[in-house]
Amino acid sequence: MKILILTNYANGLYLFRKELLQAFAEDGHKVYVSLPPDENMDKLKDLCRVIKTPFDRRGMNPFQDFKLFLAYLKLLRKKKPDVVLTYTIKPNLYGALACRIKKVPYLCNVTGLGTAIENGGLLSRLLLRFYRISMKDAQRIFFQNKRNRDFMNKNGIAVEKNALLPGSGVNLVEHPLRDYPPEYGQVQFLAVIRIMKDKGIEEYLEAAQIMKKKDKSLQFVLVGEYEEETRNLYEPQIMSLTKRKIIKYLGHIDNVEEVMAKSHVIVHPSYHEGLSNVLLEAAACGRPVLASDISGCVETFLDGESGFAFESKSVEALVHAMEKILALSCEERRQMGIAGRAWVEKNFDRNIIIQTYEDELKKIKGEKSEN
């Protein structure tokens, strides 16, 4: 089959779905990927044929978005794919609508609702109406957590042809259980998040300052890239905290696992998630987690056994969770990490996702044969 994938970020596709691309190639499918160009595109060149489709991942310019819709229509006419896979918001909206118009079978993956919908208001209502139109004829709409699915179903979207996936899953071979590092009286907390409000950056930075005053030996590490629209808001603060040695900021790095392996506790204070890849990889690595008590996070660990949940948007709750895990012994923290590894082995093996997509492709191929 000829498969066209529409997504918004090369590195995300490579990190979380390269095994799916490999499986498609091994099955003899011809795979094209359409995404905006960036420095990560070369990572995909051995896995698929890359088509540069420029668009602003987060902008809300109607004229630019209409150009994206026209680009998708042109792409469908030119490549004539047998099936289209869409990921992330704009491909799910404009790509799915283009597929519906051109009557091309399509599978959508809702990796998260996004801030615009989560915040409510007029824009949220308009986007939900758009989703109802674009996804109406989808072969299947995948959701990564039950809350997102129920919310969309309540709004008349994907009421029938929906299914839950365990996020993007985790490659248990590439992310093996790592030995818990010696603490030497210096517990290291690590947050791997995009530098934006909705990922809990403000709570993490504030909690780090509070905890450092209580115990100077604690270490706080931050990995993640700035969002251009909020860089000026957070960069001065992060630079100041780095100079004062309250946190250590590593910026964007490709091999996060190396930093996770050297850390003792992974913190994820997000406001909303599809399903957190950071938490899955932390558990696979064998690290206990502190995570927001929200859908998209709580599915990835066992509260009280492999980590602790805390109220999102609350510095006080995050500080309490940090104090709670510090009250445990080093061995108890190590055992929590081992419990987390067992949980992802049982429920989040990436092969589950690959098999689900392969089953859907077989159904579509069968329907085409009958016609």
Side-chain angles (χ1 to χ4, degrees):
M1 297 179 75
K2 189 184 290 187
I3 301 171
L4 174 61
I5 297 175
L6 309 179
T7 189
N8 73 354
Y9 186 39
N11 204 43
L13 189 68
Y14 179 78
L15 290 175
F16 306 126
R17 297 184 174 89
K18 65 178 179 292
E19 296 85 359
L20 183 63
L21 298 179
Q22 290 166 347
F24 287 161
E26 289 168 3
D27 288 343
H29 302 301
K30 185 179 289 188
V31 182
Y32 296 89
V33 172
S34 163
L35 42 70
D38 65 21
E39 68 279 5
N40 296 294
M41 292 183 72
D42 284 346
K43 296 177 182 179
L44 299 170
K45 64 183 180 181
D46 295 330
L47 298 170
C48 58
R49 295 163 177 82
V50 177
I51 302 168
K52 297 178 182 179
T53 309
F55 68 88
D56 185 348
R57 291 163 56 193
R58 295 185 180 86
M60 300 295 291
N61 185 314
F63 177 71
Q64 294 299 325
D65 288 349
F66 185 67
K67 285 175 62 177
L68 174 63
F69 171 63
L70 294 179
Y72 282 151
L73 285 174
K74 182 178 179 181
L75 193 56
L76 293 176
R77 285 196 300 269
K78 184 177 179 181
K79 295 301 179 184
K80 295 181 171 54
D82 296 300
V83 62
V84 174
L85 279 54
T86 69
Y87 295 97
T88 67
I89 294 172
K90 290 193 177 183
N92 279 340
L93 291 171
Y94 301 103
L97 181 59
C99 289
R100 184 182 174 195
I101 290 171
K102 301 297 290 184
K103 300 189 184 310
V104 177
Y106 58 106
L107 304 168
C108 301
N109 191 314
V110 180
T111 54
L113 299 182
T115 304
I117 286 182
E118 294 280 0
N119 289 344
L122 176 60
L123 180 57
S124 175
R125 292 194 295 274
L126 290 173
L127 286 172
L128 289 171
R129 183 173 296 179
F130 198 160
Y131 270 117
R132 280 194 291 272
I133 296 168
S134 67
M135 291 186 172
K136 184 177 180 181
D137 294 334
Q139 294 284 128
R140 185 75 61 194
I141 300 100
F142 294 113
F143 293 93
Q144 300 194 354
N145 66 65
K146 187 175 181 295
R147 174 186 170 274
N148 285 0
R149 183 181 67 175
D150 291 349
F151 176 86
M152 296 293 256
N153 287 174
K154 183 179 177 181
N155 283 278
I157 302 159
V159 176
E160 295 178 357
K161 296 182 179 180
N162 68 71
L164 283 175
L165 278 180
S168 302
V170 62
N171 185 321
L172 296 170
V173 176
E174 288 190 0
H175 296 277
L177 177 65
R178 300 291 186 182
D179 290 339
Y180 190 78
E183 293 183 350
Y184 301 123
Q186 295 182 317
V187 174
Q188 178 168 298
F189 293 91
L190 167 67
V192 182
I193 54 177
R194 296 206 307 276
I195 312 301
M196 58 187 294
K197 182 178 179 64
D198 281 23
K199 291 301 177 182
I201 183 62
E202 295 176 8
E203 287 76 13
Y204 183 67
L205 296 179
E206 183 66 27
Q209 293 176 76
I210 293 170
M211 294 300 291
K212 264 289 194 181
K213 288 180 181 178
K214 296 183 178 185
D215 186 347
K216 286 186 167 47
S217 71
L218 296 175
Q219 298 176 345
F220 294 89
V221 180
L222 173 63
V223 170
E225 58 188 331
Y226 290 103
E227 300 293 303
E228 284 309 312
E229 58 267 31
T230 56
R231 176 186 284 271
N232 292 337
L233 179 63
Y234 296 117
E235 189 172 34
Q237 183 182 9
I238 289 172
M239 289 178 65
S240 173
L241 293 176
T242 300
K243 287 179 181 177
R244 291 160 55 197
K245 297 186 177 180
I246 291 173
I247 67 165
K248 183 177 182 181
Y249 176 54
L250 302 181
H252 170 78
I253 59 175
D254 282 337
N255 195 353
V256 174
E257 190 195 25
E258 288 184 4
V259 185
M260 280 188 177
K262 296 174 184 176
S263 301
H264 302 105
V265 181
I266 311 304
V267 182
H268 202 64
S270 181
Y271 293 5
H272 48 82
E273 291 283 337
L275 199 88
S276 171
N277 289 301
V278 170
L279 292 176
L280 291 180
E281 291 179 5
C285 185
R287 297 298 174 265
V289 301
L290 303 178
S292 298
D293 189 8
I294 59 169
S295 293
C297 287
V298 295
E299 294 88 347
T300 66
F301 68 100
L302 296 167
D303 191 19
E305 294 184 35
S306 63
F308 294 120
F310 60 88
E311 181 185 353
S312 69
K313 308 180 185 180
S314 170
V315 175
E316 182 181 355
L318 175 52
V319 167
H320 178 68
M322 289 177 172
E323 292 174 335
K324 195 173 179 180
I325 204 162
L326 287 171
L328 303 178
S329 67
C330 173
E331 177 59 21
E332 286 173 321
R333 285 189 284 271
R334 188 180 76 85
Q335 288 298 330
M336 290 186 93
I338 292 173
R341 172 72 187 193
W343 180 249
V344 296
E345 284 181 351
K346 180 180 179 182
N347 298 287
F348 295 97
D349 189 326
R350 192 162 284 173
N351 288 317
I352 298 171
I353 286 88
I354 293 171
Q355 187 59 56
T356 300
Y357 271 100
E358 288 180 340
D359 290 345
E360 290 295 332
L361 293 186
K362 287 176 184 176
K363 291 178 188 176
I364 293 170
K365 189 173 183 179
E367 290 171 2
K368 283 180 174 288
S369 298
E370 291 176 3
N371 295 331

